Amino acid sequence: MAFGIKRQELQAWKEAVSQGEIAFLTHYWLDDRFPGINTVTKAGCSDMEKLTSWGKQYGLRPEWIHAREQYPHFDLLGERQEEILKAEKRLDQLFRFKNGKNNL
């Protein structure tokens, strides 16, 4: 279950993904399969070649892409999530939730 984002944030992410940009969206997320994980970042792009290439630089496999949906994306979790967001200079996305400052 996803929660903790505003509709405009989701719309902006969808638009960026649709335009072929690598876009990031972090939100609260609870899933019993991943105990202790409470956020996920969706790194998406409608250009599958670009998304695959981007993912390879971080050791992400093409088969991990959620491509069955309209907005193809990788789900970034845990330590890998933080490492990638740091490398992409997007830690603000994660710290917003880790520090409890999601301003909803």
Side-chain angles (χ1 to χ4, degrees):
M1 171 165 41
F3 52 97
I5 56 173
K6 297 176 183 175
R7 182 174 298 201
Q8 65 194 42
E9 293 172 296
L10 178 59
Q11 291 301 85
W13 180 80
K14 287 179 174 182
E15 186 175 323
V17 169
S18 294
Q19 292 177 2
E21 298 174 29
I22 300 290
F24 301 91
L25 181 67
T26 301
H27 57 81
Y28 283 120
W29 180 69
L30 298 175
D31 188 316
D32 292 338
R33 296 173 296 166
F34 302 96
I37 302 291
N38 60 11
T39 61
V40 62
T41 298
K42 296 189 178 302
C45 182
S46 62
D47 180 334
M48 290 294 288
E49 188 174 312
K50 184 176 182 178
L51 184 60
T52 299
S53 178
W54 176 87
K56 283 183 183 179
Q57 71 180 316
Y58 295 111
L60 303 176
R61 298 181 189 167
E63 60 266 23
W64 294 345
I65 296 173
H66 293 258
R68 66 188 176 277
E69 301 164 8
Q70 185 177 358
Y71 304 98
H73 65 275
F74 287 104
D75 283 336
L76 310 177
L77 308 164
E79 289 179 21
R80 176 67 61 83
Q81 175 189 30
E82 189 167 341
E83 291 168 9
I84 293 172
L85 288 176
K86 183 177 182 180
E88 294 285 331
K89 297 179 180 19
R90 301 301 304 262
L91 275 176
D92 60 305
Q93 290 238 347
L94 185 57
F95 288 147
R96 169 181 160 194
F97 292 94
K98 298 256 183 201
N99 295 327
K101 297 179 181 176
N102 62 342
N103 299 320
L104 294 177

Tab-separated table of all heavy atoms in Angstrom, residues 1 3 27-41 75-82 94 98:
chain	number	residue	atom	x	y	z
A	1	MET	N	0.839	-1.170	0.000
A	1	MET	CA	0.000	0.000	0.000
A	1	MET	C	0.893	1.245	0.000
A	1	MET	O	1.832	1.345	0.759
A	1	MET	CB	-0.907	0.006	1.218
A	1	MET	CG	-1.618	1.311	1.318
A	1	MET	SD	-3.042	1.505	2.385
A	1	MET	CE	-2.740	0.676	3.850
A	3	PHE	N	1.314	5.460	0.313
A	3	PHE	CA	0.683	6.649	0.853
A	3	PHE	C	1.757	7.676	1.195
A	3	PHE	O	2.938	7.386	1.221
A	3	PHE	CB	-0.182	6.320	2.078
A	3	PHE	CG	0.518	5.541	3.151
A	3	PHE	CD1	1.066	6.184	4.250
A	3	PHE	CD2	0.636	4.159	3.073
A	3	PHE	CE1	1.708	5.478	5.245
A	3	PHE	CE2	1.286	3.441	4.060
A	3	PHE	CZ	1.823	4.098	5.152
A	27	HIS	N	7.673	7.380	-1.635
A	27	HIS	CA	6.481	7.444	-0.801
A	27	HIS	C	6.553	6.383	0.280
A	27	HIS	O	7.343	5.453	0.205
A	27	HIS	CB	5.205	7.286	-1.640
A	27	HIS	CG	5.137	6.030	-2.447
A	27	HIS	ND1	4.766	4.827	-1.907
A	27	HIS	CD2	5.396	5.804	-3.755
A	27	HIS	CE1	4.785	3.900	-2.861
A	27	HIS	NE2	5.171	4.466	-3.989
A	28	TYR	N	5.729	6.572	1.308
A	28	TYR	CA	5.592	5.536	2.325
A	28	TYR	C	5.023	4.294	1.673
A	28	TYR	O	4.238	4.369	0.724
A	28	TYR	CB	4.642	5.992	3.440
A	28	TYR	CG	5.248	6.960	4.410
A	28	TYR	CD1	4.708	8.222	4.565
A	28	TYR	CD2	6.345	6.611	5.193
A	28	TYR	CE1	5.237	9.119	5.473
A	28	TYR	CE2	6.888	7.500	6.089
A	28	TYR	CZ	6.327	8.752	6.224
A	28	TYR	OH	6.855	9.640	7.126
A	29	TRP	N	5.408	3.153	2.229
A	29	TRP	CA	4.986	1.895	1.624
A	29	TRP	C	5.089	0.790	2.655
A	29	TRP	O	6.114	0.654	3.327
A	29	TRP	CB	5.905	1.625	0.448
A	29	TRP	CG	5.667	0.387	-0.336
A	29	TRP	CD1	4.599	0.117	-1.140
A	29	TRP	CD2	6.541	-0.740	-0.460
A	29	TRP	NE1	4.757	-1.099	-1.744
A	29	TRP	CE2	5.941	-1.637	-1.340
A	29	TRP	CE3	7.763	-1.054	0.091
A	29	TRP	CZ2	6.526	-2.860	-1.675
A	29	TRP	CZ3	8.352	-2.255	-0.235
A	29	TRP	CH2	7.733	-3.154	-1.116
A	30	LEU	N	4.055	0.025	2.801
A	30	LEU	CA	4.064	-1.114	3.715
A	30	LEU	C	3.756	-2.379	2.944
A	30	LEU	O	2.791	-2.438	2.183
A	30	LEU	CB	3.018	-0.925	4.819
A	30	LEU	CG	3.223	0.279	5.732
A	30	LEU	CD1	2.054	0.409	6.703
A	30	LEU	CD2	4.537	0.193	6.468
A	31	ASP	N	4.606	-3.367	3.142
A	31	ASP	CA	4.421	-4.660	2.489
A	31	ASP	C	5.030	-5.703	3.412
A	31	ASP	O	6.217	-5.614	3.746
A	31	ASP	CB	5.117	-4.666	1.133
A	31	ASP	CG	4.800	-5.898	0.307
A	31	ASP	OD1	4.803	-7.016	0.872
A	31	ASP	OD2	4.570	-5.759	-0.904
A	32	ASP	N	4.232	-6.656	3.829
A	32	ASP	CA	4.698	-7.689	4.766
A	32	ASP	C	5.897	-8.479	4.245
A	32	ASP	O	6.632	-9.075	5.030
A	32	ASP	CB	3.558	-8.647	5.102
A	32	ASP	CG	2.453	-7.990	5.912
A	32	ASP	OD1	2.727	-6.961	6.558
A	32	ASP	OD2	1.317	-8.502	5.898
A	33	ARG	N	6.109	-8.478	2.942
A	33	ARG	CA	7.258	-9.200	2.373
A	33	ARG	C	8.586	-8.523	2.691
A	33	ARG	O	9.636	-9.131	2.564
A	33	ARG	CB	7.125	-9.320	0.850
A	33	ARG	CG	5.927	-10.137	0.397
A	33	ARG	CD	5.767	-10.070	-1.103
A	33	ARG	NE	5.480	-8.681	-1.494
A	33	ARG	CZ	5.554	-8.223	-2.734
A	33	ARG	NH1	5.909	-9.023	-3.720
A	33	ARG	NH2	5.266	-6.960	-2.999
A	34	PHE	N	8.521	-7.235	3.094
A	34	PHE	CA	9.732	-6.461	3.344
A	34	PHE	C	9.663	-5.813	4.730
A	34	PHE	O	9.495	-4.592	4.849
A	34	PHE	CB	9.915	-5.392	2.260
A	34	PHE	CG	9.987	-5.967	0.876
A	34	PHE	CD1	8.850	-6.029	0.076
A	34	PHE	CD2	11.177	-6.463	0.377
A	34	PHE	CE1	8.908	-6.570	-1.199
A	34	PHE	CE2	11.247	-7.002	-0.891
A	34	PHE	CZ	10.111	-7.069	-1.686
A	35	PRO	N	9.814	-6.615	5.788
A	35	PRO	CA	9.736	-6.050	7.133
A	35	PRO	C	10.850	-5.025	7.367
A	35	PRO	O	11.981	-5.197	6.916
A	35	PRO	CB	9.900	-7.264	8.047
A	35	PRO	CG	10.436	-8.361	7.202
A	35	PRO	CD	10.088	-8.033	5.777
A	36	GLY	N	10.502	-3.938	8.043
A	36	GLY	CA	11.486	-2.904	8.340
A	36	GLY	C	11.651	-1.877	7.241
A	36	GLY	O	12.319	-0.871	7.417
A	37	ILE	N	11.057	-2.112	6.080
A	37	ILE	CA	11.116	-1.159	4.966
A	37	ILE	C	9.803	-0.381	4.970
A	37	ILE	O	8.728	-0.973	4.926
A	37	ILE	CB	11.285	-1.894	3.611
A	37	ILE	CG1	12.538	-2.757	3.591
A	37	ILE	CG2	11.251	-0.894	2.459
A	37	ILE	CD1	13.840	-1.997	3.600
A	38	ASN	N	9.898	0.954	5.041
A	38	ASN	CA	8.654	1.729	5.064
A	38	ASN	C	8.598	2.814	3.988
A	38	ASN	O	7.675	3.613	3.969
A	38	ASN	CB	8.389	2.322	6.443
A	38	ASN	CG	9.484	3.260	6.893
A	38	ASN	OD1	10.345	3.640	6.118
A	38	ASN	ND2	9.451	3.625	8.159
A	39	THR	N	9.605	2.840	3.106
A	39	THR	CA	9.533	3.731	1.941
A	39	THR	C	10.016	2.970	0.711
A	39	THR	O	10.789	2.023	0.806
A	39	THR	CB	10.409	5.001	2.097
A	39	THR	OG1	11.773	4.623	2.243
A	39	THR	CG2	9.958	5.855	3.265
A	40	VAL	N	9.553	3.426	-0.423
A	40	VAL	CA	10.011	2.911	-1.705
A	40	VAL	C	10.160	4.108	-2.636
A	40	VAL	O	9.414	5.079	-2.524
A	40	VAL	CB	9.034	1.871	-2.311
A	40	VAL	CG1	7.680	2.481	-2.597
A	40	VAL	CG2	9.609	1.214	-3.558
A	41	THR	N	11.149	4.037	-3.516
A	41	THR	CA	11.297	5.049	-4.554
A	41	THR	C	11.070	4.380	-5.889
A	41	THR	O	11.683	3.355	-6.189
A	41	THR	CB	12.701	5.693	-4.523
A	41	THR	OG1	12.883	6.349	-3.276
A	41	THR	CG2	12.864	6.697	-5.658
A	75	ASP	N	11.639	-0.398	-8.553
A	75	ASP	CA	11.346	-0.079	-7.163
A	75	ASP	C	12.666	-0.131	-6.408
A	75	ASP	O	13.360	-1.155	-6.429
A	75	ASP	CB	10.370	-1.086	-6.556
A	75	ASP	CG	8.940	-0.871	-6.992
A	75	ASP	OD1	8.602	0.261	-7.377
A	75	ASP	OD2	8.148	-1.834	-6.928
A	76	LEU	N	13.020	0.953	-5.764
A	76	LEU	CA	14.248	1.041	-4.988
A	76	LEU	C	13.889	0.974	-3.511
A	76	LEU	O	13.053	1.742	-3.036
A	76	LEU	CB	14.981	2.353	-5.284
A	76	LEU	CG	15.206	2.691	-6.763
A	76	LEU	CD1	15.882	4.044	-6.897
A	76	LEU	CD2	16.022	1.602	-7.444
A	77	LEU	N	14.549	0.046	-2.799
A	77	LEU	CA	14.240	-0.200	-1.394
A	77	LEU	C	15.506	-0.226	-0.549
A	77	LEU	O	16.586	-0.560	-1.039
A	77	LEU	CB	13.553	-1.562	-1.222
A	77	LEU	CG	12.349	-1.873	-2.076
A	77	LEU	CD1	12.055	-3.360	-2.048
A	77	LEU	CD2	11.160	-1.106	-1.577
A	78	GLY	N	15.360	0.074	0.718
A	78	GLY	CA	16.420	-0.124	1.693
A	78	GLY	C	17.713	0.607	1.389
A	78	GLY	O	17.713	1.751	0.933
A	79	GLU	N	18.835	-0.065	1.664
A	79	GLU	CA	20.149	0.543	1.465
A	79	GLU	C	20.373	0.945	0.013
A	79	GLU	O	20.954	1.990	-0.269
A	79	GLU	CB	21.253	-0.407	1.921
A	79	GLU	CG	21.328	-0.579	3.415
A	79	GLU	CD	22.422	-1.536	3.837
A	79	GLU	OE1	23.366	-1.762	3.052
A	79	GLU	OE2	22.324	-2.062	4.962
A	80	ARG	N	19.947	0.115	-0.911
A	80	ARG	CA	20.118	0.413	-2.338
A	80	ARG	C	19.386	1.697	-2.693
A	80	ARG	O	19.868	2.527	-3.441
A	80	ARG	CB	19.618	-0.761	-3.175
A	80	ARG	CG	19.632	-0.577	-4.680
A	80	ARG	CD	21.002	-0.481	-5.321
A	80	ARG	NE	21.854	-1.604	-5.183
A	80	ARG	CZ	21.870	-2.703	-5.922
A	80	ARG	NH1	21.009	-2.857	-6.883
A	80	ARG	NH2	22.744	-3.649	-5.714
A	81	GLN	N	18.201	1.865	-2.136
A	81	GLN	CA	17.420	3.083	-2.356
A	81	GLN	C	18.234	4.304	-1.950
A	81	GLN	O	18.361	5.262	-2.711
A	81	GLN	CB	16.125	3.001	-1.540
A	81	GLN	CG	15.261	4.242	-1.579
A	81	GLN	CD	14.121	4.165	-0.575
A	81	GLN	OE1	14.240	3.528	0.480
A	81	GLN	NE2	13.018	4.813	-0.903
A	82	GLU	N	18.793	4.257	-0.756
A	82	GLU	CA	19.553	5.405	-0.255
A	82	GLU	C	20.815	5.641	-1.088
A	82	GLU	O	21.135	6.781	-1.425
A	82	GLU	CB	19.920	5.200	1.213
A	82	GLU	CG	20.503	6.441	1.834
A	82	GLU	CD	20.580	6.374	3.346
A	82	GLU	OE1	19.885	5.554	3.968
A	82	GLU	OE2	21.352	7.178	3.903
A	94	LEU	N	14.080	11.037	0.044
A	94	LEU	CA	14.056	10.046	1.106
A	94	LEU	C	13.997	10.691	2.483
A	94	LEU	O	13.222	10.277	3.340
A	94	LEU	CB	15.285	9.145	0.995
A	94	LEU	CG	15.368	7.967	1.946
A	94	LEU	CD1	14.153	7.066	1.795
A	94	LEU	CD2	16.638	7.190	1.692
A	98	LYS	N	12.018	9.981	6.090
A	98	LYS	CA	12.794	9.467	7.223
A	98	LYS	C	12.740	10.420	8.408
A	98	LYS	O	12.820	9.996	9.543
A	98	LYS	CB	14.246	9.228	6.810
A	98	LYS	CG	14.404	8.195	5.732
A	98	LYS	CD	14.891	6.909	6.287
A	98	LYS	CE	15.106	5.942	5.135
A	98	LYS	NZ	15.100	4.594	5.558
